[in-house]
């Protein structure tokens, strides 16, 4: 059985099909799906999905793209949302300098405020990092030995970054991009991370694996991610499923 630790099922391109998407995931052996929010509205949507479906868990947080209108009072809103029994982390949070939709200084303020909230609530965080690796690593290093636990989703750092994060007790996950033909560098990093430090994810509806690349991604395709992980690590998909599921269950407390 698999756990898809990152699937944005509240996105509009799932409208009217969420039930079918979940059914296909269950049929593919996906026992749990974690739905990470990107703003206050989607935090509510994620918790509503978790209320409705036994297999779904939620995270609440403000994505760096959406921090341009960040205000300190949003922390209280997130804290209230995080009291829901199936909210298991603060996320998706972090930094994104690729699109730069929000000013970098505001992204950093929001990122640090949400890290502090997670520590206060004793919940892990789900980290987004795109073209911002130096600042993300600097921020995370500030919290070494301060009870911070993090999932670095859609990992785009180096092997050295991965080793440093794992040494601090954090976890790494890769998406369907590990199946893409030109992703040799990503697969090299994947090969350097032991299964005991990995989660599975799809990042649905994005990062669709081969052979469905170019179409909407969905949690059922996490099996394709697991197959590639097994290939890179020269092991069985059953072993990948067992270890990554145990990792996620323990990390998120589900």
């Amino acid at each position: 059985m698999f756990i898809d630790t990152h699937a944005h099922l509240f996105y509009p391109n799932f409208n009217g099909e969420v039930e079918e998407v979940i059914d296909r995931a269950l049929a593919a052996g996906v026992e749990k799906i974690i739905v990470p929010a990107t703003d206050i509205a989607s935090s509510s949507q994620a918790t509503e999905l978790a209320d409705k479906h036994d297999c779904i868990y939620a995270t609440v947080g403000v994505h760096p793209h959406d921090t341009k209108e960040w205000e300190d009072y949003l922390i209280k809103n997130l804290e209230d949302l995080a009291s829901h029994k199936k909210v298991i982390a603060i996320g998706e949070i972090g930094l994104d300098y690729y699109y730069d939709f929000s000013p970098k200084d505001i992204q950093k303020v929001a990122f640090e405020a949400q890290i502090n909230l997670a520590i206060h609530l004793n919940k892990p965080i789900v980290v987004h990092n795109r073209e911002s690796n130096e600042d993300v690593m600097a921020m995370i290093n500030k919290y070494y030995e301060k009870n911070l636990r993090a999932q670095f989703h859609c990992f785009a750092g180096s092997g050295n970054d991965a080793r440093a994060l794992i040494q601090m007790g954090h976890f790494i996950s890769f998406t369907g991009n590990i199946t893409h033909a030109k992703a040799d560098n990503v697969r090299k990093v994947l090969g350097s991370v032991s299964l005991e430090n990995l989660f599975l994810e799809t990042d649905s509806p994005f990062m669709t694996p081969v052979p469905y690349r170019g179409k909407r991604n969905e949690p059922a395709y996490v099996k394709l991610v697991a197959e590639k992980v097994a290939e890179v690590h020269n092991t069985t998909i059953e072993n990948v499923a067992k270890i990554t599921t145990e990792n996620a269950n323990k990390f998120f407390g589900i």
Side-chain angles (χ1 to χ4, degrees):
M1 301 296 283
F2 308 102
I3 297 180
D4 182 356
T5 62
H6 205 100
H8 301 287
L9 295 184
F10 52 81
Y11 265 66
N13 52 359
F14 287 114
N15 285 354
E17 296 184 62
V18 172
E19 303 288 341
E20 292 85 351
V21 166
I22 292 173
D23 286 345
R24 284 195 292 272
L26 294 172
V30 182
E31 65 175 2
K32 294 170 186 170
I33 303 168
I34 299 174
V35 178
T38 56
D39 57 17
I40 298 298
S42 59
S43 294
S44 294
Q45 290 173 291
T47 57
E48 288 168 6
L49 282 168
D51 265 335
K52 190 174 181 180
H53 301 278
D54 289 342
C55 66
I56 289 183
Y57 295 82
T59 80
V60 299
V62 179
H63 189 285
H65 287 341
D66 296 291
T67 57
K68 54 185 172 294
E69 297 178 359
W70 177 264
E71 297 288 348
D72 289 342
Y73 72 82
L74 293 175
I75 285 294
K76 181 62 170 70
N77 293 353
L78 290 172
E79 184 170 6
D80 291 343
L81 287 161
S83 66
H84 188 285
K85 63 182 179 181
K86 292 186 77 179
V87 170
I88 58 174
I90 303 299
E92 175 180 354
I93 64 176
L95 302 174
D96 190 314
Y97 299 166
Y98 180 79
Y99 286 111
D100 211 18
F101 288 154
S102 303
K104 293 179 182 178
D105 58 339
I106 297 177
Q107 290 190 43
K108 291 177 184 177
V109 167
F111 188 22
E112 186 157 24
Q114 292 178 96
I115 289 174
N116 288 327
L117 173 63
I119 292 173
H120 171 68
L121 297 176
N122 193 29
K123 293 183 183 291
I125 62 173
V126 178
V127 178
H128 173 101
N129 171 17
R130 190 168 187 188
E131 303 292 335
S132 55
N133 199 62
E134 184 176 343
D135 284 351
V136 166
M137 292 298 291
M139 183 75 76
I140 297 302
N141 278 319
K142 285 177 58 176
Y143 288 89
Y144 184 47
E145 297 185 338
K146 293 186 179 179
N147 199 35
L148 178 64
R149 296 170 292 133
Q151 172 192 8
F152 288 81
H153 108 92
C154 192
F155 191 70
S158 67
N160 286 337
D161 293 329
R163 283 187 286 275
L165 293 168
I166 289 165
Q167 187 175 15
M168 288 187 272
H170 306 309
F171 281 78
I172 308 293
S173 56
F174 297 87
T175 66
N177 67 336
I178 62 173
T179 70
H180 299 173
K182 296 181 179 180
D184 288 339
N185 287 339
V186 180
R187 284 188 287 272
K188 184 177 180 180
V189 176
L190 165 61
S192 74
V193 179
S194 72
L195 294 181
E196 286 73 20
N197 303 114
L198 284 175
F199 300 146
L200 299 177
E201 65 158 306
T202 59
D203 197 18
S204 300
F206 312 109
M207 309 301 286
T208 311
V210 174
Y212 301 106
R213 190 177 183 185
K215 300 179 180 180
R216 182 194 69 189
N217 201 2
E218 60 178 77
Y221 299 160
V222 80
K223 184 176 182 179
L224 298 171
V225 177
E227 287 174 351
K228 183 57 70 172
V229 171
E231 178 186 319
V232 170
H233 279 268
N234 193 29
T235 187
T236 64
I237 189 171
E238 290 81 10
N239 195 42
V240 170
K242 177 179 182 294
I243 293 174
T244 58
T245 295
E246 288 174 353
N247 292 344
N249 278 330
K250 184 176 179 180
F251 181 83
F252 290 109
I254 53 179

